[in-house]
Amino acid sequence: MSQDSKAGRLITGLFSKLWHLFATILILILLIATIFIGINIYVLAQGSNNLWAPNELADKNTDLILVLGAGLNADGKPSPMLAERLDTAAALYKNKAGQKLLLSGDTDQNYYDETKAMETYLKEAGIPEKAMEIDPDGTNTYNSVLRAKNKFNAHRVIVVSQQYHLYRALNIAKTLDLKAYGVPADQHPWEGRHVYESREFWARIKDVLQSHSENWPLLVKDGLNAGIDWSRDHVAQPIFNFDVKKK
């Protein structure tokens, strides 16, 4: 056999191995992408049938109306998105949709106090102090929903957030066997929605894995599993514009 023939076979064999490796990697990438997209479709589809207008939950008398934090302005007042959530929650409380409001946010007593700003805003809206519970350790959506159940002993809750964010919160509640109703607080379109939506795509995957895996690493805080301290959740318009449920 000539040297040229041997070299040709070596090159062909090497090319074949590289091609099989590339094909295997490509299949794995496509499989993972399919799983990730499937998770998002599952979360969106599951939550789309559990979105309610505030007036539809009047006199529901749930245990808590859970208001998820959304950051503060530079002056320490609620951001526009958070203000929408607080306005919606106040309307729900006044319509007797829940017995109390649970204000869940991130708090650093020295520099940042989200829950205090939420409480002040609601007091100015006419909500009595005795009607509000404070959770300063609601550092992310998973923590907030988990602590509503474990720390504040809720069995039925109304979750208030922008619509796009509610799908994930409702999925977490369902996984934790917490009866929840989602009320969108959307009143205005927001800039940078595509950036926020891309973050939410990955956040849904993270929370589904966290909710379903018994081996997911957890931090222990206040004597209960409080969850991983992920960065502040962002809010924006929904990727898919599911309508609020109508009777």
Side-chain angles (χ1 to χ4, degrees), residues 91-223:
L92 285 163
Y93 177 77
K94 291 176 181 179
N95 286 333
K96 300 180 181 179
Q99 298 174 28
K100 283 191 173 185
L101 295 157
L102 175 57
L103 312 181
S104 183
D106 194 5
T107 299
D108 182 327
Q109 295 296 338
N110 296 320
Y111 304 102
Y112 185 90
D113 197 336
E114 189 174 20
T115 52
K116 183 63 177 178
M118 295 165 75
E119 182 182 27
T120 300
Y121 186 96
L122 287 171
K123 283 182 180 178
E124 294 174 354
I127 304 300
E129 184 175 356
K130 65 180 181 180
M132 292 181 275
E133 296 280 0
I134 306 297
D135 182 10
D137 293 312
T139 53
N140 57 57
T141 306
Y142 186 85
N143 280 2
S144 296
V145 177
L146 178 64
R147 289 171 60 80
K149 178 182 179 180
N150 289 359
K151 179 72 173 180
F152 295 91
N153 302 312
H155 300 284
R156 296 190 309 139
V157 300
I158 295 172
V159 185
V160 180
S161 186
Q162 274 66 30
Q163 183 175 337
Y164 105 110
H165 184 213
L166 282 173
Y167 302 114
R168 178 159 56 100
L170 291 171
N171 178 260
I172 294 169
K174 182 177 177 63
T175 305
L176 296 174
D177 294 323
L178 180 62
K179 177 63 176 178
Y181 306 86
V183 176
D186 303 86
Q187 296 176 17
H188 304 93
W190 301 103
E191 296 181 0
R193 56 176 292 183
H194 299 299
V195 175
Y196 297 145
E197 287 170 358
S198 65
R199 289 173 175 168
E200 185 66 11
F201 177 89
W202 297 107
R204 292 186 188 116
I205 296 166
K206 179 266 294 183
D207 278 345
V208 166
L209 293 174
Q210 184 171 2
S211 298
H212 288 82
S213 175
E214 294 181 355
N215 296 321
W216 192 272
L218 294 172
L219 299 176
V220 177
K221 193 168 188 178
D222 293 341

